[in-house]
Amino acid sequence: MVEIKNVDIIYNKGMYNEKKALDNFSLKIEKNEFITIIGHNGAGKTTLFKVLTGSLTPDSGKYIINGREIKKVRSHILFKKIGIVYQNPDSGVFPELTIEENLILGKKRGMRGLGFSKYDSLDLLTGLGIGLEKRLKTKVKELSGGQKQSLAMIIAVSSKPSMLLLDEHTAALDPKMADKIMNLTLKINKELNIPVLMITHNMNLTEKYSQRIIEISGGKISSDIFAEENSSSGKIFCGKNMFITEVV
């Protein structure tokens, strides 16, 4: 379980352009949850991710992972606990190395030393159905954007993190590849029991895959809705401060 409690993030503190990017912000992320974060540019979505990855230290409030408050934790420990995939596929891979070398290094995320232990990510790679498991000696720079993003996803979870953060991770992909990536995302969430927190502007993906949708506005949660299965109409989202959305 991951939780942030009463967190404030203030940019340009004490200056004329001071801005509260997160305002007494609280969020609890339970095991196996698939949460999508939506909101306008500047609402606080990216700031939230920076707090969760340790890039920003809250001005006040608490950050808790599995019951342990994160304060001055060593960066390599937090790096192992939080997996993240960005919009740019090159951000999550080592282009000059082979697929195999990327998988091995991914397994060592957040660990000291570079002992080359066997990796157990090959099943995820094979399950994608795009043939990367047959090209382990291929340098990653030779792959397409979608193939790189697939590999980045697997690297992000190979150390079995406490949470997976996805920052517009399908935005640069064609619809067919984006669907494959989302199916991999769902597999990671369900089969590896890793909670997922996804930022996206794609409402079709949001409605299709999310269990919970959180809207951020002005550094606060303006709505928090949950999915419920309905036998006649599929998935229904309902919750405080937001209209009900049906997904057939």
Side-chain angles (χ1 to χ4, degrees):
M1 189 268 289
V2 178
E3 184 176 12
I4 58 174
K5 298 175 67 175
N6 309 118
V7 163
D8 287 331
I9 293 288
I10 303 172
Y11 292 140
N12 305 315
K13 196 170 184 178
M15 301 177 67
Y16 75 94
N17 57 343
E18 178 177 302
K19 178 184 177 182
K20 213 169 201 181
L22 291 181
D23 186 0
N24 198 34
F25 193 98
S26 295
L27 175 63
K28 184 181 291 186
I29 303 161
E30 301 288 354
K31 186 178 180 181
N32 297 345
E33 275 198 302
F34 193 126
I35 302 173
T36 297
I37 304 292
I38 61 175
H40 297 295
N41 291 335
K45 306 186 300 297
T46 300
T47 299
L48 172 62
F49 269 34
K50 286 181 177 180
V51 171
L52 292 171
T53 57
S55 301
L56 277 177
T57 300
D59 293 285
S60 61
K62 295 181 179 181
Y63 179 17
I64 301 166
I65 299 179
N66 298 329
R68 179 183 176 184
E69 186 176 352
I70 304 299
K71 290 183 177 178
K72 294 182 179 179
V73 67
R74 294 175 183 174
S75 59
H76 73 277
I77 295 176
L78 189 57
F79 188 56
K80 182 181 178 183
K81 289 181 179 294
I82 305 297
I84 185 164
V85 180
Y86 297 96
Q87 179 176 338
N88 183 355
D90 287 322
S91 298
V93 295
F94 302 94
E96 294 297 329
L97 300 181
T98 66
I99 293 174
E100 183 176 41
E101 289 166 338
N102 270 264
L103 291 175
I104 293 171
L105 288 175
K107 183 67 175 177
K108 298 297 292 183
R109 287 178 75 250
M111 297 182 185
R112 291 183 172 181
L114 289 175
F116 286 84
S117 60
K118 289 184 178 180
Y119 48 81
D120 56 8
S121 306
L122 203 53
D123 286 343
L124 282 175
L125 199 67
T126 303
L128 277 169
I130 57 177
L132 291 184
E133 73 280 1
K134 300 175 183 177
R135 302 175 60 189
L136 295 179
K137 302 298 183 183
T138 300
K139 286 194 174 183
V140 172
K141 66 181 181 181
E142 299 175 21
L143 303 180
S144 69
Q147 291 170 332
K148 289 178 185 177
Q149 198 68 308
S150 301
L151 184 60
M153 288 278 293
I154 293 169
I155 290 171
V157 300
S158 59
S159 62
K160 297 181 175 63
S162 298
M163 177 172 56
L164 176 62
L165 304 179
L166 305 171
D167 191 356
E168 294 280 2
H169 72 311
T170 64
L173 307 178
D174 64 73
K176 185 175 180 180
M177 195 67 216
D179 200 45
K180 284 184 179 292
I181 293 292
M182 287 306 305
N183 286 330
L184 174 62
T185 305
L186 199 60
K187 183 182 180 75
I188 288 168
N189 174 242
K190 297 297 185 184
E191 297 184 13
L192 300 186
N193 299 318
I194 297 175
V196 171
L197 199 63
M198 177 177 74
I199 291 176
T200 184
H201 289 95
N202 187 323
M203 290 307 296
N204 289 329
L205 293 183
T206 297
E207 293 176 349
K208 183 176 181 181
Y209 292 98
S210 305
Q211 296 173 336
R212 184 180 176 191
I213 303 173
I214 292 173
E215 184 176 16
I216 299 178
S217 178
K220 296 182 177 182
I221 293 177
S222 55
S223 60
D224 188 356
I225 64 173
F226 296 81
E228 296 179 4
E229 294 299 325
N230 183 285
S231 58
S232 61
S233 59
K235 189 187 291 184
I236 295 178
F237 287 100
C238 55
K240 190 176 180 181
N241 300 332
M242 196 165 185
F243 58 83
I244 295 176
T245 303
E246 294 188 0
V247 183
V248 180

